């Protein structure tokens, strides 16, 4: 194994975090599709793909480091927004949360 068990466990958790963010963006995009806000829908579908790509980068890191991939349970995405601002606000909260999670990963990695 090329890295610590703690870092691999945190990376496995981050795979789930990234997939959860991806699913949330799909839900937000679908909301905008339903509201015929096509450009916002396209934007959030692209964001969903970006988060999925992030998850896959962590998957590759885990496997390249000789770790075992253990994707955690992913909670259901929220749907049914009251307004466009509600959906965008949730997206902002998601970005801030995932950014904090990445900072925490950096802290673990720099301790190793």
């Amino acid at each position: 194994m090329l890295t610590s068990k703690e870092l691999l466990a945190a990376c496995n958790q981050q795979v789930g975090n990234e997939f959860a963010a991806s699913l949330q963006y799909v839900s937000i995009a679908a909301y905008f599709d339903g509201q015929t806000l096509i450009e916002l829908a396209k934007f959030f579908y692209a964001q969903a793909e970006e988060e999925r790509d992030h998850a896959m980068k962590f998957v590759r890191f885990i496997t390249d480091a000789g770790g075992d991939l253990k994707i955690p349970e992913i909670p259901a995405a929220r749907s049914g927004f009251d307004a466009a601002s509600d959906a965008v606000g949730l997206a902002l909260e998601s970005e801030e949360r995932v950014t904090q999670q990445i900072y925490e990963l950096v802290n673990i990695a720099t301790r190793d």
Side-chain angles (χ1 to χ4, degrees):
M1 194 171 317
L2 300 175
T3 190
S4 74
K5 289 181 181 182
E6 179 186 14
L7 182 57
L8 288 173
C11 286
N12 271 301
Q13 182 60 49
Q14 193 61 32
V15 169
N17 296 342
E18 299 288 345
F19 278 134
S22 178
L23 292 174
Q24 187 59 70
Y25 286 141
V26 168
S27 182
I28 291 169
Y31 165 77
F32 285 127
D33 256 345
Q35 299 297 309
T36 63
L37 296 168
I38 304 307
E39 291 303 313
L40 281 169
K42 283 197 292 190
F43 174 80
F44 282 102
Y45 283 129
Q47 289 302 112
E49 187 65 28
E50 182 178 301
E51 298 301 333
R52 182 201 168 280
D53 289 346
H54 294 164
M56 294 307 298
K57 287 178 182 182
F58 282 104
V59 167
R60 285 189 287 281
F61 173 80
I62 292 164
T63 58
D64 288 349
D68 294 322
L69 179 64
K70 297 174 185 165
I71 301 172
E73 185 173 334
I74 299 169
R78 180 178 159 203
S79 60
F81 302 97
D82 294 329
S85 60
D86 187 30
V88 172
L90 180 60
L92 176 60
E93 290 171 16
S94 176
E95 282 298 314
E96 290 171 339
R97 183 175 44 260
V98 170
T99 298
Q100 186 59 43
Q101 292 162 345
I102 296 297
Y103 290 155
E104 291 169 17
L105 276 172
V106 169
N107 287 336
I108 293 168
T110 56
R111 284 196 314 258
D112 286 352

